[in-house]
Amino acid sequence: MAGTAEKNVPGQASKPLSLPPHALSHQAVSTEIGANTKDGLTRGEVQRRLEEYGRNELDDGPGVQPLKILVRQVANAMTLVLIMAMVVSFGIRSWIEGGLIGAVIALNITIGFIQEFNAEKTMASLRSLSSPTAAAVRDGKTEVVPTAELVPGDMVELKTGDTVPADVRLLEAVNFETDEALLTGESLPVQKDSEATFDVDTGAGDRINVAFSSTTVTRGRARGIVFATGMATEIGSISTALRVGERKTRPVKRRADGSAKLHRHAQAWGLTTGDFIGHFLGINVGTPLQRRLSKLALALLGTAVVCAVIVLAANGFSSNTEVIIYAVATGLSMIPASLIVVLTVTVAAGTKRMVERHVIVRSLDSLEALGAVTDICSDKTGTLTQGRMLAKRAWIPAEGTYSVGPTPEPFNPTLGSLYHDRRPPSESGDKLEAPSGEEIHGTLVDLVKHSPLLEAFLDVASLANLAHVHESEAGWMARGDPTEIAIQVFASRFDWNRESLVREDGWKPVAEFPFDSNVKRMSVVFDREAAGKRMVFTKGAVERVLDSCKLIHLGEDQLQTSITDEMRRTVLENMEALAAQGLRVLALASRDIPGNGHADKSYDRDEIERELTFQGLLGIFDPPRVESADAVKKCHQAGVSVHMLTGDHPGTARAVAAQVGIIPSNPNTITSAMVMTAGQFDKLSDDAVDELPVLPLVIARCSPNTKVRMIEALHRRRRFVAMTGDGVNDSPSLKRADVGIAMGQTGSDVAKDASDIVLTDDNFASILNAVEEGRRMSDNIQKFVLHLLATNIAQACTLLIGLVFKDASGLSVFPLAPVEILWVIMITSGLPDMGLGVEAAAPDIMGRPAQSLRKGIFTTEVIVDTVVYGFWMAALCLASFAIVLFGFGDGKLGVDCNNRYSAECDTVFRARATTFVCLTWFALLLAWELVNMRRSFFRMRPGGARPWTQWTRDVWRNQFLFWGVVAGFVTIFPALYAPVISRVVFKHEGISWEWGVVFVEAVMFVGGVEAWLWAKRCFFRRQARGDSSADDANPSALPESGEATV
């Protein structure tokens, strides 16, 4: 923060005012701080103030801590075994091996530190992207901006579920309450009053004209001016006290009187020690994948020890240096030292790609979970649809239907023709973009003055509405909820804008009851003193509003009459007609209430929303996003079922679901179980839900509890669920889902805090992107883990079986030297593995079922592949050693050939070099073969224009992998032929005619891998045919809608 924050007096603004903001009227605060209460600050002014006052951030402590990252590089089983090997090598005075192992440790730690440090910084930046946002009015538009970019003078809008982004002096507050327990300790929400002013020395808890940073809005809405940001806020002054360290020790179990026996203390310290060791080794921290890999590392550490013991036992536990070096080499062969580095690089690259595809990862766990998603439960409005709404139809029972024609500017009420048809929607049969009736010409405000029912309808549309629509120099501007903006624009077509009604006609707000997802209505109470009346205006879901109505105007004489059951059916028929066109239908109602002239705001909602007069229906069109239908289709191809859970009417939900492909477009193929209302679904017991052939693909009039029940029902069917949400009430379902997805633009801060990922564009297609990225990362992690472990098995088997090669002194001669093993682990495998980690998604990645998170990356296929490739590499390596030594050599193993070169060791050194080159080439070629774990390397894209030469383009496509493999091929030559280094360090000799053996075995290796891939393809094709036949024979066993078979 800038220096102004440091000198800030509690309660004062970042820019000191004549008095603290709570002691000034909001008009005075706005003037002194230089705010614009209509259009907000300009972008240029925001930038200037941001430079002056600094970012709106608290001091969150040290942030990314390099020392802790460095410790983590050492505190893992991979590094520990290398350290042990280095100590043993130095202990037996094997300086070269010990020094090189030390260099490998330093290299591993350095690369790991750099990569993890960058990854930590990346995650920190992602957390800032997904941090709470604020709705700020700038340049006349409401924009969602990060709270860190708010400045004193910004005008912000607050609603239920928001976290207050800074200290705000309220301009208006309607039923507005905040939870200030974090600040004052007060357990009950505090009712705010924007018009009040207080003494300078009033305590924070009594400043009810101010909303404090970090408090939560529990009810209502408000608008205000930011006066303090960052450390200048009230919460900033006590931020140090809010940072509580995590408990490091396990608590001691005590009796009721507080005493504890000695064994309880021992138990607590034992558990604490176990936690420390687990944390040190990484087996109880990090994501599930990281914990599994840490456990794998420990298992490999144990295996390495066992292998070393086998080597010692095979040589009679001799203390000879040669034997100990052989044991060290065998132990090293089982350690994939570059695994942690490659994993870090892959995860970091994945999170960056997610951001590019409009997905912000809040939890690393979700990266793994996304690849396993089988069902997506999505909202409709703004996710599957564009969220740019336009009121297209208005039906007033005694007047007929008003229709709005096509318009290029949805916020401009002066564009688009208006039509009137005396017939109701159920009889007109018009098309959405071709309205029936006569076009209305002339001044529309005159039409209103001659139509009391139209005026009553527009009063509700305009006043039961929180949106602002106005014309500025830049054109027509709108801010607020998209639905309410559409309704306000419709009212403004008749010059019946809320602002003009309040300013010119004397309407004054008295009370407000915001939209509630349980009652599905919102109501306001207004006074019009000049007319001597007080009115309640209500809008909401048709069935809920209709239930609260007692009267209706009907007939040409427009007489008011009581609503009968037949009239209710007529209203519902017209609602169905509008909904069938894909319109979201709302009902409008109003009534006079007693109490004119009194400022009583303590109305009971149940008393207000009863005995209403039904005024009509309003149909709002929210077109589906262009990409939604294709995204849903791809989800089905990927074996992912899509469920639409919406608060809209069943007819609207059904129409939109059919347009985007969630349900069949042919209504004759839609079963009753596919489309349900929340009422129908909630009436079913859990057993009844489980007996449904398929779970509903569309649930209309959905409540928060319905979403939770849907997730639980899917879980009982062993499905893996992603759930979208944006409101406060969505938090339980977001937490209950396997992957909670919050909306970045329209989502509340509470919903974002409960989510795992955030969509920056609120687009359903971005969910598909996230699933694809999750699958790609899981695939790539499988590939490089498979590559590393197969190479480890090959080395270990080569060395263990190579124990049979004994020299004249009876000691085993290793086919691979320790430095050669380190070279393969770090140099040969390291870069190609990183290349596999950033490999693009396979063409068929979204054409196969989701992965099982329970199995993780270690599927049966991966385990079998690891063994097959490892054994095949080991067999060929041993064959190359034997061919050079016995086939073309004299078969003599010399003496002390594990330590130094001599004439009698020449053949051994050349055989060892041949084995080393073969293993290196096998590892490099295997990296390319694993680009796709089932397709042939030569036919990765068989449908391409050049199927037989496509592989030449495929190897170039991933340039990181290409140059990693090339580097592996090139660097082998200095390792083979550099003087001194070849004989003294690597313990091998440059080869000549032995290259023939290398080339032949390389061809054999590729042929063997290709044969195995062909066998796998045959197996899986036969398995798929068998599954298909079983499904045909047993239709009840067919998968959920959208689920693909293997």
Side-chain angles (χ1 to χ4, degrees):
M1 282 302 299
T4 45
E6 295 173 5
K7 297 179 287 187
N8 179 71
V9 177
Q12 183 57 278
S14 294
K15 174 186 178 181
L17 308 180
S18 59
L19 291 173
H22 62 269
L24 296 171
S25 66
H26 60 74
Q27 294 91 343
V29 172
S30 300
T31 301
E32 291 191 33
I33 210 166
N36 184 330
T37 59
K38 184 175 183 180
D39 291 330
L41 299 177
T42 63
R43 296 183 187 278
E45 181 63 17
V46 168
Q47 188 59 40
R48 188 192 68 77
R49 296 191 183 200
L50 192 60
E51 294 174 358
E52 178 181 356
Y53 299 108
R55 291 172 66 82
N56 178 30
E57 295 173 329
L58 298 179
D59 179 10
D60 285 332
V64 179
Q65 296 178 279
L67 182 60
K68 286 189 175 181
I69 295 174
L70 184 61
V71 170
R72 283 201 295 270
Q73 303 311 307
V74 179
N76 63 74
M78 309 293 186
T79 306
L80 292 178
V81 73
L82 289 174
I83 292 173
M84 290 169 56
M86 180 184 69
V87 171
V88 171
S89 298
F90 283 140
I92 62 173
R93 300 178 182 274
S94 184
W95 308 117
I96 293 176
E97 283 78 4
L100 287 173
I101 295 173
V104 169
I105 293 171
L107 180 64
N108 213 18
I109 290 175
T110 302
I111 296 175
F113 174 82
I114 293 171
Q115 293 296 339
E116 188 165 347
F117 182 75
N118 291 333
E120 288 275 353
K121 290 200 297 184
T122 299
M123 289 306 298
S125 66
L126 294 183
R127 282 190 287 271
S128 69
L129 287 175
S130 64
S131 64
T133 53
V137 179
R138 292 176 178 173
D139 288 327
K141 300 177 181 177
T142 300
E143 300 178 353
V144 178
V145 299
T147 57
E149 296 178 7
L150 286 182
V151 297
D154 257 326
M155 181 165 65
V156 295
E157 296 176 343
L158 303 169
K159 63 182 185 301
T160 304
D162 286 352
T163 298
V164 180
D167 283 359
V168 176
R169 177 61 170 91
L170 299 175
L171 300 177
E172 64 175 353
V174 181
N175 295 336
F176 187 69
E177 296 181 357
T178 62
D179 181 357
E180 298 181 352
L182 180 68
L183 184 68
T184 66
E186 175 60 50
S187 60
L188 297 176
V190 178
Q191 177 85 37
K192 297 294 182 177
D193 184 355
S194 61
E195 301 298 329
T197 56
F198 301 95
D199 293 336
V200 173
D201 57 355
T202 301
D206 295 321
R207 300 175 202 159
I208 62 172
N209 57 1
V210 170
F212 295 104
S213 175
S214 300
T215 60
T216 305
V217 180
T218 58
R219 183 183 177 211
R221 64 176 181 86
R223 186 166 55 95
I225 297 296
V226 173
F227 67 82
T229 58
M231 297 302 290
T233 60
E234 198 72 28
I235 201 71
S237 64
I238 58 172
S239 62
T240 304
L242 294 177
R243 291 199 294 268
V244 180
E246 185 181 351
R247 186 184 182 96
K248 301 294 184 182
T249 59
R250 293 286 191 104
V252 178
K253 292 184 179 180
R254 300 181 182 275
R255 298 191 184 97
D257 60 1
S259 63
K261 291 185 177 181
L262 183 61
H263 77 277
R264 291 297 186 188
H265 288 276
Q267 180 188 48
W269 279 107
L271 292 172
T272 300
T273 303
D275 290 343
F276 173 77
I277 295 173
H279 191 281
F280 185 80
L281 295 175
I283 60 175
N284 59 4
V285 293
T287 69
L289 175 61
Q290 289 170 333
R291 292 194 294 270
R292 280 196 294 268
L293 291 179
S294 294
K295 292 176 181 177
L296 170 66
L298 286 177
L300 292 176
L301 172 60
T303 305
V305 173
V306 171
C307 290
V309 172
I310 292 173
V311 171
L312 293 173
N315 289 274
F317 290 98
S318 171
S319 59
N320 188 290
T321 301
E322 287 189 64
V323 176
I324 297 175
I325 291 177
Y326 201 130
V328 169
T330 309
L332 288 176
S333 70
M334 286 304 300
I335 302 301
S338 59
L339 177 60
I340 302 300
V341 174
V342 177
L343 179 64
T344 303
V345 171
T346 303
V347 171
T351 55
K352 289 179 181 178
R353 283 176 60 94
M354 290 273 196
V355 174
E356 294 170 1
R357 305 188 75 176
H358 310 293
V359 179
I360 296 172
V361 179
R362 298 187 70 252
S363 166
L364 285 178
D365 290 15
S366 61
L367 285 175
E368 304 161 36
L370 282 167
V373 168
T374 61
D375 290 74
I376 299 173
C377 296
S378 173
D379 191 11
K380 176 184 77 70
T381 305
T383 307
L384 289 163
T385 61
Q386 297 179 18
R388 293 175 60 88
M389 302 188 188
L390 184 67
K392 299 287 287 184
R393 300 285 189 273
W395 175 59
I396 303 172
E399 287 267 335
T401 305
Y402 292 90
S403 303
V404 177
T407 174
E409 299 179 25
F411 296 162
N412 191 339
T414 65
L415 298 180
S417 300
L418 191 67
Y419 302 85
H420 179 250
D421 190 336
R422 296 293 303 178
R423 295 174 298 173
S426 60
E427 298 177 9
S428 64
D430 60 349
K431 301 293 184 181
L432 188 62
E433 294 301 327
S436 60
E438 299 180 0
E439 185 175 354
I440 300 175
H441 299 281
T443 307
L444 295 181
V445 70
D446 293 336
L447 180 66
V448 179
K449 291 178 179 178
H450 293 90
S451 175
L453 295 185
L454 178 58
E455 179 179 351
F457 182 90
L458 293 175
D459 281 343
V460 183
S462 181
L463 296 174
N465 195 316
L466 309 179
H468 296 267
V469 176
H470 65 280
E471 188 176 15
S472 67
E473 295 179 359
W476 282 90
M477 301 289 184
R479 65 176 189 267
D481 178 79
T483 301
E484 296 200 329
I485 289 175
I487 299 173
Q488 195 67 253
V489 170
F490 180 81
S492 298
R493 292 182 183 278
F494 300 86
D495 197 19
W496 221 253
N497 189 285
R498 174 191 171 101
E499 292 185 10
S500 62
L501 292 181
V502 172
R503 184 177 61 251
E504 299 171 9
D505 289 6
W507 287 103
K508 179 183 176 183
V510 175
E512 178 183 313
F513 299 92
F515 179 83
D516 185 291
S517 58
N518 292 315
V519 299
K520 299 190 183 301
R521 294 186 298 265
M522 74 88 65
S523 297
V524 294
V525 179
F526 270 79
D527 264 348
R528 192 179 186 188
E529 295 183 4
K533 62 179 180 180
R534 174 171 288 185
M535 297 287 295
V536 57
F537 301 116
T538 300
K539 75 173 188 294
V542 178
E543 300 94 329
R544 299 299 183 91
V545 172
L546 197 58
D547 289 343
S548 300
C549 289
K550 182 179 181 182
L551 302 172
I552 190 173
H553 293 275
L554 290 176
E556 294 184 2
D557 52 9
Q558 301 182 350
L559 293 177
Q560 193 177 64
T561 182
S562 298
I563 294 183
T564 63
D565 290 340
E566 183 179 352
M567 293 175 186
R568 292 180 190 276
R569 285 193 293 271
T570 300
V571 171
L572 294 176
E573 286 175 5
N574 285 284
M575 175 194 67
E576 296 284 356
L578 292 174
Q581 298 181 43
L583 298 178
R584 182 184 183 189
V585 187
L586 300 178
L588 279 60
S590 62
R591 74 176 174 97
D592 290 308
I593 58 172
N596 176 45
H598 299 286
D600 178 21
K601 297 185 182 180
S602 60
Y603 286 109
D604 179 72
R605 184 164 195 159
D606 293 336
E607 289 294 318
I608 287 295
E609 295 177 342
R610 67 182 183 86
E611 298 184 353
L612 301 173
T613 299
F614 181 80
Q615 299 295 352
L617 302 177
L618 193 63
I620 301 169
F621 181 56
D622 182 15
R625 291 180 184 266
V626 177
E627 59 272 26
S628 290
D630 186 54
V632 170
K633 180 180 179 181
K634 289 180 178 177
C635 282
H636 291 162
Q637 292 171 347
V640 178
S641 297
V642 180
H643 307 261
M644 187 170 78
L645 278 56
T646 176
D648 283 344
H649 179 269
T652 307
R654 181 191 293 257
V656 173
Q659 289 175 26
V660 300
I662 292 177
I663 60 175
S665 56
N666 184 357
N668 296 327
T669 62
I670 301 175
T671 65
S672 59
M674 287 184 181
V675 181
M676 298 179 112
T677 64
Q680 294 170 329
F681 186 77
D682 290 340
K683 286 179 182 177
L684 298 174
S685 65
D686 289 347
D687 291 339
V689 169
D690 293 341
E691 290 175 1
L692 292 173
V694 293
L695 289 175
L697 298 177
V698 177
I699 298 183
R701 297 297 191 219
C702 196
S703 67
N705 183 60
T706 308
K707 293 183 178 182
V708 174
R709 284 203 70 204
M710 182 66 170
I711 293 171
E712 292 174 346
L714 286 165
H715 282 167
R716 290 196 297 273
R717 297 189 181 210
R718 298 192 176 183
R719 312 290 285 176
F720 205 81
V721 188
M723 169 68 76
T724 69
D726 54 10
V728 180
N729 291 332
D730 290 328
S731 298
S733 57
L734 291 175
K735 283 289 188 184
R736 189 73 183 87
D738 299 293
V739 180
I741 305 172
M743 302 296 110
Q745 296 179 354
T746 60
S748 68
D749 293 333
V750 174
K752 291 177 186 176
D753 287 341
S755 68
D756 299 301
I757 65 174
V758 177
L759 304 183
T760 58
D761 60 353
D762 292 8
N763 193 336
F764 179 84
S766 295
I767 304 176
L768 184 68
N769 293 340
V771 172
E772 182 179 350
E773 280 301 309
R775 291 190 178 189
R776 185 191 68 84
M777 286 187 60
S778 295
D779 269 11
N780 290 349
I781 291 171
Q782 276 187 331
K783 292 171 188 175
F784 72 68
V785 169
L786 169 55
H787 183 263
L788 282 168
L789 295 182
T791 306
N792 288 139
I793 288 177
Q795 293 175 137
C797 289
T798 300
L799 289 170
L800 290 175
I801 298 173
L803 288 170
V804 301
F805 301 122
K806 294 194 175 185
D807 62 14
S809 63
L811 298 178
S812 298
V813 177
F814 45 65
L816 290 168
V819 176
E820 291 176 330
I821 291 169
L822 290 174
W823 183 272
V824 173
I825 291 173
M826 295 301 300
I827 307 300
T828 303
S829 296
L831 289 177
D833 285 331
M834 291 182 191
L836 286 173
V838 298
E839 176 66 28
D844 63 343
I845 195 168
M846 297 303 287
R848 59 184 191 237
Q851 299 166 341
S852 170
L853 200 65
R854 287 186 292 272
K855 293 181 180 178
I857 61 172
F858 297 106
T859 62
T860 302
E861 181 181 358
V862 169
I863 294 171
V864 173
D865 281 354
T866 301
V867 174
V868 169
Y869 295 145
F871 282 180
W872 181 231
M873 292 167 73
L876 291 175
C877 285
L878 288 167
S880 67
F881 188 81
I883 288 171
V884 174
L885 187 63
F886 299 107
F888 295 94
D890 55 12
K892 295 180 180 180
L893 293 167
V895 177
D896 201 24
C897 293
N898 286 347
N899 277 332
R900 54 182 173 269
Y901 176 82
S902 64
E904 63 178 340
C905 291
D906 183 74
T907 305
V908 173
F909 270 51
R910 296 173 75 88
R912 188 178 291 148
T914 307
T915 305
F916 168 62
V917 176
C918 285
L919 180 61
T920 301
W921 280 33
F922 298 162
L924 295 172
L925 293 171
L926 182 62
W928 266 333
E929 289 281 0
L930 290 179
V931 166
N932 192 300
M933 291 173 59
R934 292 185 187 175
R935 290 189 182 277
S936 167
F937 169 71
F938 303 100
R939 296 291 303 275
M940 289 188 189
R941 301 173 189 271
R946 302 178 180 87
W948 297 107
T949 60
Q950 182 64 41
W951 66 271
T952 60
R953 293 168 176 80
D954 290 336
V955 298
W956 178 248
R957 181 172 45 81
N958 184 345
Q959 294 192 26
F960 196 131
L961 177 59
F962 176 83
W963 290 114
V965 172
V966 169
F969 279 116
V970 171
T971 54
I972 200 171
F973 291 99
L976 272 178
Y977 299 108
V980 182
I981 293 177
S982 176
R983 292 181 177 179
V984 176
V985 177
F986 283 88
K987 303 292 193 298
H988 61 214
E989 179 71 3
I991 59 176
S992 53
W993 62 267
E994 291 88 352
W995 281 107
V997 176
V998 174
F999 279 108
V1000 170
E1001 292 213 346
V1003 172
M1004 292 177 63
F1005 174 74
V1006 172
V1009 173
E1010 289 292 328
W1012 174 251
L1013 292 173
W1014 173 80
K1016 282 174 60 177
R1017 290 194 296 275
C1018 292
F1019 172 78
F1020 285 113
R1021 278 198 296 266
R1022 186 176 294 109
Q1023 186 182 61
R1025 285 195 295 269
D1027 290 344
S1028 178
S1029 301
D1031 290 339
D1032 291 340
N1034 182 16
S1036 63
L1038 287 171
E1040 296 281 318
S1041 175
E1043 182 182 354
T1045 53
V1046 177

